[in-house]
Amino acid sequence: MKLIHRNFDKNNSGSVKLVPEESEDMWHAYNLVAEGDHLRASTVRKVNMESATGSTSAQKVNTTLTIQVESVDFDSQACVLRVKGRNVQENPYVKMGAYHTIDLELNRAFTLGKQEWDSVAQDRLDLACDPSQRADLAAIVMQEGLAHICLVTSSMTLVRARIENTIPRKKRGSCTQHDKAMNKFYEQVVQGLVRHINFNVVKAVLVASPGFVKEQFCHYMFQMATTSEDKETRALLEHRPKFVMVHSSSGHKQALREALSDPAVASRLADTKAAGEVKALDAFYNMLQNEPARAFYGYLL
């Protein structure tokens, strides 16, 4: 998240102008924007325009609105934050008090004002704008014919690629078609890994699957890296110690949490930001189950 300006008074009232630059920034924005805040951003409004002859027609116009927030909806797939509220500043196209929904998108600036930026909001703002905050854990969750390549940050899991192929069943006495399809599938996963993972930042790569798919994939990957003429693919050999294999129940994204919770890999992932989040979440769930009177989730009033 790029911070353009920050203007707080002594009572921590004020505004910030921000530009979300990557997917995780939209998650931070979702956690920053709250009911009652003032949000100012460019938007598109459908208005009725009257011509010189007196006829009217509906046209879409670009304008900048300031609304008082009433609801916030985050579409993680489209990476769009939809903020609904009433207009609170004079505008030639929108009446005062009229409802409007502003879509916040990547690389589009917005200004957020609060009556009070409490410690939680300020901590979230500092976290979002800290350039050192980057995903240092990658994960490949896979099964035969399905793989998700993910980046795991301290706040969320970002799916960078989904690879899905049809794998023929093994036939009695012949596995040629099955093995050929699996090799093609593994090759696509390796290509996705090279394309989407920055090994200069990532400290560990979790490879999770049911059965022996993870072992077979890693064997194929390092064999491919050994014979490849592509510089980035060959570089996988240098990062071999970063790969950690662990069991998961499936190749779906939801299976990643159980893989992260495996005690066998906890020590290998101890230096990553995500490990602390998983540990805190597990502690909360355990307390909620064993001592429900001590565990609460929501706002403190």
Side-chain angles (χ1 to χ4, degrees):
M1 188 90 77
K2 184 177 181 180
L3 178 65
I4 305 299
H5 73 71
R6 176 173 178 164
N7 183 23
F8 294 169
D9 61 22
K10 63 180 180 180
N11 296 318
N12 287 328
S13 175
S15 64
V16 295
K17 187 173 183 179
L18 303 166
V19 180
E21 297 179 309
E22 54 188 52
S23 301
E24 187 182 359
D25 292 341
M26 300 306 297
W27 173 252
H28 288 305
Y30 173 64
N31 284 277
L32 280 171
V33 179
E35 183 180 348
D37 291 349
H38 282 193
L39 178 72
R40 183 174 177 81
S42 61
T43 186
V44 176
R45 179 80 173 186
K46 191 174 183 179
V47 297
N48 291 321
M49 306 291 286
E50 185 174 347
S51 66
T53 60
S55 61
T56 59
S57 61
Q59 296 183 13
K60 291 183 178 180
V61 296
N62 292 313
T63 186
T64 300
L65 287 181
T66 302
I67 62 172
Q68 185 170 5
V69 178
E70 292 192 4
S71 65
V72 185
D73 179 52
F74 179 42
D75 185 343
S76 60
Q77 296 299 318
C79 203
V80 173
L81 195 65
R82 297 185 174 91
V83 186
K84 181 181 178 182
R86 292 179 181 271
N87 181 38
V88 293
Q89 281 193 6
E90 292 289 346
N91 185 279
Y93 303 110
V94 185
K95 295 179 180 179
M96 289 284 290
Y99 276 107
H100 186 79
T101 299
I102 295 177
D103 288 349
L104 299 183
E105 300 175 345
L106 291 177
N107 301 309
R108 290 179 60 184
F110 67 91
T111 301
L112 180 65
K114 292 179 178 287
Q115 287 293 327
E116 180 185 2
W117 286 81
D118 59 22
S119 59
V120 175
Q122 291 195 45
D123 287 345
R124 171 67 65 174
L125 180 64
D126 292 340
L127 178 67
C129 298
D130 185 351
S132 67
Q133 299 292 333
R134 295 292 184 269
D136 59 356
L137 174 62
I140 308 169
V141 191
M142 62 194 313
Q143 63 189 49
E144 288 194 359
L146 176 66
H148 289 84
I149 300 174
C150 308
L151 287 175
V152 186
T153 74
S154 58
S155 304
M156 65 188 301
T157 299
L158 306 172
V159 177
R160 287 306 191 194
R162 173 188 167 97
I163 298 105
E164 188 169 9
N165 288 355
T166 301
I167 307 296
R169 292 184 178 181
K170 293 182 179 179
K171 296 181 180 180
R172 182 177 295 180
S174 175
C175 299
T176 304
Q177 294 300 318
H178 176 273
D179 293 345
K180 185 177 180 180
M182 286 299 294
N183 286 341
K184 181 180 179 181
F185 169 64
Y186 289 151
E187 181 180 357
Q188 291 176 342
V189 176
V190 173
Q191 291 172 350
L193 183 68
V194 171
R195 186 180 302 115
H196 295 288
I197 304 302
N198 182 357
F199 284 95
N200 293 324
V201 176
V202 166
K203 296 178 181 177
V205 182
L206 203 65
V207 184
S209 79
F212 297 99
V213 176
K214 54 188 176 296
E215 289 87 356
Q216 294 167 358
F217 167 71
C218 287
H219 176 75
Y220 179 92
M221 175 175 59
F222 294 123
Q223 283 291 107
M224 180 178 172
T226 302
T227 58
S228 176
E229 296 182 358
D230 179 67
K231 183 179 179 181
E232 293 183 344
T233 304
R234 289 187 63 85
L236 290 172
L237 295 172
E238 301 175 18
H239 303 293
R240 189 168 188 162
K242 294 182 179 181
F243 286 82
V244 182
M245 290 183 286
V246 61
H247 173 79
S248 68
S249 59
S250 73
H252 295 279
K253 176 188 171 184
Q254 292 78 3
L256 180 57
R257 185 180 177 275
E258 67 186 63
L260 288 170
S261 302
D262 190 333
V265 300
S267 59
R268 294 288 304 274
L269 306 181
D271 292 336
T272 64
K273 302 181 187 78
E277 302 297 322
V278 171
K279 186 177 180 180
L281 188 61
D282 286 341
F284 172 77
Y285 283 141
N286 288 334
M287 184 179 292
L288 191 63
Q289 182 176 4
N290 300 320
E291 301 177 83
R294 293 183 57 202
F296 299 91
Y297 181 78
Y299 292 101
L300 182 63
L301 299 177

Short mmCIF file of all heavy atoms in Angstrom, two decimals, residues 165-192:
data_model
loop_
_atom_site.label_atom_id
_atom_site.label_comp_id
_atom_site.label_asym_id
_atom_site.label_seq_id
_atom_site.Cartn_x
_atom_site.Cartn_y
_atom_site.Cartn_z
N ASN A 165 -5.97 -30.39 -14.60
CA ASN A 165 -5.91 -31.24 -15.80
C ASN A 165 -6.70 -32.52 -15.56
O ASN A 165 -6.85 -32.97 -14.41
CB ASN A 165 -4.46 -31.61 -16.14
CG ASN A 165 -3.68 -30.44 -16.70
OD1 ASN A 165 -4.22 -29.37 -16.92
ND2 ASN A 165 -2.39 -30.63 -16.92
N THR A 166 -7.15 -33.12 -16.64
CA THR A 166 -7.81 -34.42 -16.56
C THR A 166 -6.74 -35.51 -16.63
O THR A 166 -5.93 -35.53 -17.57
CB THR A 166 -8.81 -34.60 -17.71
OG1 THR A 166 -9.80 -33.56 -17.63
CG2 THR A 166 -9.50 -35.95 -17.62
N ILE A 167 -6.73 -36.38 -15.63
CA ILE A 167 -5.75 -37.45 -15.57
C ILE A 167 -6.44 -38.80 -15.81
O ILE A 167 -7.34 -39.17 -15.05
CB ILE A 167 -5.03 -37.49 -14.20
CG1 ILE A 167 -4.45 -36.11 -13.86
CG2 ILE A 167 -3.95 -38.56 -14.19
CD1 ILE A 167 -3.37 -35.63 -14.80
N PRO A 168 -6.06 -39.52 -16.87
CA PRO A 168 -6.68 -40.84 -17.12
C PRO A 168 -6.37 -41.82 -15.98
O PRO A 168 -5.31 -41.74 -15.34
CB PRO A 168 -6.03 -41.30 -18.43
CG PRO A 168 -5.40 -40.08 -19.02
CD PRO A 168 -5.06 -39.18 -17.88
N ARG A 169 -7.29 -42.74 -15.76
CA ARG A 169 -7.04 -43.75 -14.74
C ARG A 169 -6.00 -44.75 -15.23
O ARG A 169 -5.82 -44.96 -16.43
CB ARG A 169 -8.34 -44.49 -14.42
CG ARG A 169 -9.38 -43.63 -13.71
CD ARG A 169 -10.59 -44.47 -13.34
NE ARG A 169 -11.58 -43.70 -12.62
CZ ARG A 169 -12.73 -44.20 -12.17
NH1 ARG A 169 -13.01 -45.49 -12.38
NH2 ARG A 169 -13.58 -43.43 -11.52
N LYS A 170 -5.33 -45.35 -14.25
CA LYS A 170 -4.38 -46.40 -14.59
C LYS A 170 -5.13 -47.63 -15.09
O LYS A 170 -6.16 -48.00 -14.55
CB LYS A 170 -3.54 -46.78 -13.37
CG LYS A 170 -2.60 -45.69 -12.89
CD LYS A 170 -1.79 -46.17 -11.69
CE LYS A 170 -0.83 -45.09 -11.22
NZ LYS A 170 -0.04 -45.54 -10.04
N LYS A 171 -4.61 -48.24 -16.17
CA LYS A 171 -5.19 -49.46 -16.70
C LYS A 171 -4.35 -50.66 -16.31
O LYS A 171 -3.13 -50.54 -16.15
CB LYS A 171 -5.32 -49.36 -18.22
CG LYS A 171 -6.26 -48.26 -18.69
CD LYS A 171 -6.36 -48.23 -20.20
CE LYS A 171 -7.30 -47.12 -20.68
NZ LYS A 171 -7.39 -47.08 -22.16
N ARG A 172 -5.00 -51.77 -16.16
CA ARG A 172 -4.28 -52.99 -15.79
C ARG A 172 -3.24 -53.33 -16.85
O ARG A 172 -3.55 -53.48 -18.03
CB ARG A 172 -5.26 -54.15 -15.63
CG ARG A 172 -4.60 -55.46 -15.19
CD ARG A 172 -5.63 -56.54 -14.98
NE ARG A 172 -6.52 -56.21 -13.88
CZ ARG A 172 -7.53 -57.00 -13.48
NH1 ARG A 172 -7.75 -58.16 -14.12
NH2 ARG A 172 -8.30 -56.63 -12.48
N GLY A 173 -2.00 -53.39 -16.40
CA GLY A 173 -0.91 -53.75 -17.30
C GLY A 173 -0.32 -52.58 -18.06
O GLY A 173 0.68 -52.73 -18.75
N SER A 174 -0.90 -51.39 -17.95
CA SER A 174 -0.37 -50.23 -18.68
C SER A 174 -0.70 -48.94 -17.93
O SER A 174 -1.87 -48.67 -17.64
CB SER A 174 -0.94 -50.16 -20.09
OG SER A 174 -0.50 -48.99 -20.74
N CYS A 175 0.32 -48.15 -17.64
CA CYS A 175 0.15 -46.85 -16.96
C CYS A 175 0.65 -45.71 -17.83
O CYS A 175 0.84 -44.59 -17.34
CB CYS A 175 0.90 -46.85 -15.62
SG CYS A 175 0.35 -48.12 -14.45
N THR A 176 0.88 -46.00 -19.11
CA THR A 176 1.54 -45.02 -19.99
C THR A 176 0.77 -43.71 -20.08
O THR A 176 1.34 -42.62 -19.89
CB THR A 176 1.71 -45.60 -21.40
OG1 THR A 176 2.43 -46.83 -21.31
CG2 THR A 176 2.48 -44.64 -22.29
N GLN A 177 -0.54 -43.77 -20.36
CA GLN A 177 -1.33 -42.56 -20.52
C GLN A 177 -1.42 -41.78 -19.21
O GLN A 177 -1.36 -40.55 -19.19
CB GLN A 177 -2.73 -42.92 -21.02
CG GLN A 177 -2.76 -43.50 -22.43
CD GLN A 177 -2.20 -42.53 -23.46
OE1 GLN A 177 -2.48 -41.33 -23.42
NE2 GLN A 177 -1.40 -43.05 -24.38
N HIS A 178 -1.58 -42.52 -18.10
CA HIS A 178 -1.65 -41.87 -16.78
C HIS A 178 -0.35 -41.16 -16.47
O HIS A 178 -0.34 -39.99 -16.05
CB HIS A 178 -1.95 -42.93 -15.72
CG HIS A 178 -1.95 -42.39 -14.32
ND1 HIS A 178 -0.78 -42.32 -13.56
CD2 HIS A 178 -2.94 -41.87 -13.54
CE1 HIS A 178 -1.07 -41.80 -12.37
NE2 HIS A 178 -2.36 -41.52 -12.35
N ASP A 179 0.78 -41.83 -16.66
CA ASP A 179 2.08 -41.24 -16.34
C ASP A 179 2.39 -40.05 -17.24
O ASP A 179 2.95 -39.04 -16.79
CB ASP A 179 3.19 -42.30 -16.48
CG ASP A 179 3.08 -43.39 -15.43
OD1 ASP A 179 2.33 -43.18 -14.44
OD2 ASP A 179 3.73 -44.44 -15.59
N LYS A 180 2.01 -40.14 -18.51
CA LYS A 180 2.25 -39.04 -19.44
C LYS A 180 1.45 -37.80 -19.04
O LYS A 180 1.97 -36.68 -19.06
CB LYS A 180 1.87 -39.48 -20.86
CG LYS A 180 2.19 -38.47 -21.94
CD LYS A 180 1.84 -39.02 -23.31
CE LYS A 180 2.15 -38.00 -24.40
NZ LYS A 180 1.80 -38.54 -25.76
N ALA A 181 0.19 -38.01 -18.62
CA ALA A 181 -0.65 -36.89 -18.19
C ALA A 181 -0.13 -36.28 -16.90
O ALA A 181 -0.16 -35.05 -16.72
CB ALA A 181 -2.09 -37.36 -18.02
N MET A 182 0.35 -37.13 -15.99
CA MET A 182 0.89 -36.61 -14.72
C MET A 182 2.15 -35.80 -14.95
O MET A 182 2.35 -34.74 -14.33
CB MET A 182 1.17 -37.76 -13.76
CG MET A 182 -0.09 -38.38 -13.14
SD MET A 182 -1.06 -37.20 -12.15
CE MET A 182 0.08 -36.86 -10.80
N ASN A 183 3.01 -36.24 -15.85
CA ASN A 183 4.24 -35.49 -16.15
C ASN A 183 3.92 -34.13 -16.75
O ASN A 183 4.56 -33.12 -16.41
CB ASN A 183 5.12 -36.28 -17.10
CG ASN A 183 5.81 -37.46 -16.42
OD1 ASN A 183 5.92 -37.49 -15.18
ND2 ASN A 183 6.24 -38.43 -17.20
N LYS A 184 2.91 -34.09 -17.62
CA LYS A 184 2.49 -32.82 -18.19
C LYS A 184 1.93 -31.91 -17.10
O LYS A 184 2.20 -30.70 -17.08
CB LYS A 184 1.43 -33.05 -19.27
CG LYS A 184 0.95 -31.78 -19.95
CD LYS A 184 -0.10 -32.07 -21.00
CE LYS A 184 -0.60 -30.78 -21.65
NZ LYS A 184 -1.66 -31.05 -22.66
N PHE A 185 1.14 -32.48 -16.19
CA PHE A 185 0.59 -31.73 -15.07
C PHE A 185 1.70 -31.18 -14.17
O PHE A 185 1.70 -29.99 -13.82
CB PHE A 185 -0.34 -32.65 -14.27
CG PHE A 185 -0.79 -32.10 -12.94
CD1 PHE A 185 -1.58 -30.96 -12.87
CD2 PHE A 185 -0.42 -32.73 -11.76
CE1 PHE A 185 -2.00 -30.46 -11.64
CE2 PHE A 185 -0.84 -32.24 -10.54
CZ PHE A 185 -1.62 -31.10 -10.47
N TYR A 186 2.68 -32.02 -13.84
CA TYR A 186 3.79 -31.58 -13.00
C TYR A 186 4.58 -30.46 -13.66
O TYR A 186 5.02 -29.50 -13.01
CB TYR A 186 4.73 -32.75 -12.69
CG TYR A 186 4.17 -33.79 -11.75
CD1 TYR A 186 4.58 -35.13 -11.84
CD2 TYR A 186 3.24 -33.46 -10.78
CE1 TYR A 186 4.07 -36.09 -10.97
CE2 TYR A 186 2.72 -34.41 -9.91
CZ TYR A 186 3.14 -35.72 -10.03
OH TYR A 186 2.64 -36.67 -9.16
N GLU A 187 4.76 -30.57 -14.99
CA GLU A 187 5.50 -29.53 -15.71
C GLU A 187 4.79 -28.19 -15.62
O GLU A 187 5.43 -27.14 -15.42
CB GLU A 187 5.67 -29.94 -17.17
CG GLU A 187 6.46 -28.92 -18.00
CD GLU A 187 6.61 -29.34 -19.45
OE1 GLU A 187 6.16 -30.44 -19.81
OE2 GLU A 187 7.17 -28.54 -20.23
N GLN A 188 3.46 -28.20 -15.74
CA GLN A 188 2.70 -26.96 -15.63
C GLN A 188 2.79 -26.36 -14.23
O GLN A 188 2.86 -25.14 -14.08
CB GLN A 188 1.23 -27.23 -16.00
CG GLN A 188 1.02 -27.55 -17.47
CD GLN A 188 -0.42 -27.90 -17.78
OE1 GLN A 188 -1.19 -28.24 -16.89
NE2 GLN A 188 -0.80 -27.83 -19.05
N VAL A 189 2.82 -27.21 -13.22
CA VAL A 189 2.95 -26.72 -11.84
C VAL A 189 4.32 -26.07 -11.64
O VAL A 189 4.44 -25.02 -11.02
CB VAL A 189 2.73 -27.86 -10.83
CG1 VAL A 189 2.95 -27.35 -9.40
CG2 VAL A 189 1.32 -28.42 -10.95
N VAL A 190 5.36 -26.71 -12.18
CA VAL A 190 6.71 -26.14 -12.07
C VAL A 190 6.77 -24.79 -12.77
O VAL A 190 7.33 -23.81 -12.24
CB VAL A 190 7.76 -27.09 -12.68
CG1 VAL A 190 9.13 -26.42 -12.72
CG2 VAL A 190 7.84 -28.38 -11.86
N GLN A 191 6.18 -24.68 -13.94
CA GLN A 191 6.17 -23.41 -14.67
C GLN A 191 5.43 -22.33 -13.88
O GLN A 191 5.86 -21.18 -13.82
CB GLN A 191 5.53 -23.60 -16.04
CG GLN A 191 6.36 -24.44 -17.00
CD GLN A 191 5.61 -24.77 -18.29
OE1 GLN A 191 4.41 -24.54 -18.40
NE2 GLN A 191 6.32 -25.32 -19.27
N GLY A 192 4.31 -22.71 -13.26
CA GLY A 192 3.57 -21.76 -12.43
C GLY A 192 4.37 -21.34 -11.21
O GLY A 192 4.34 -20.16 -10.81
#
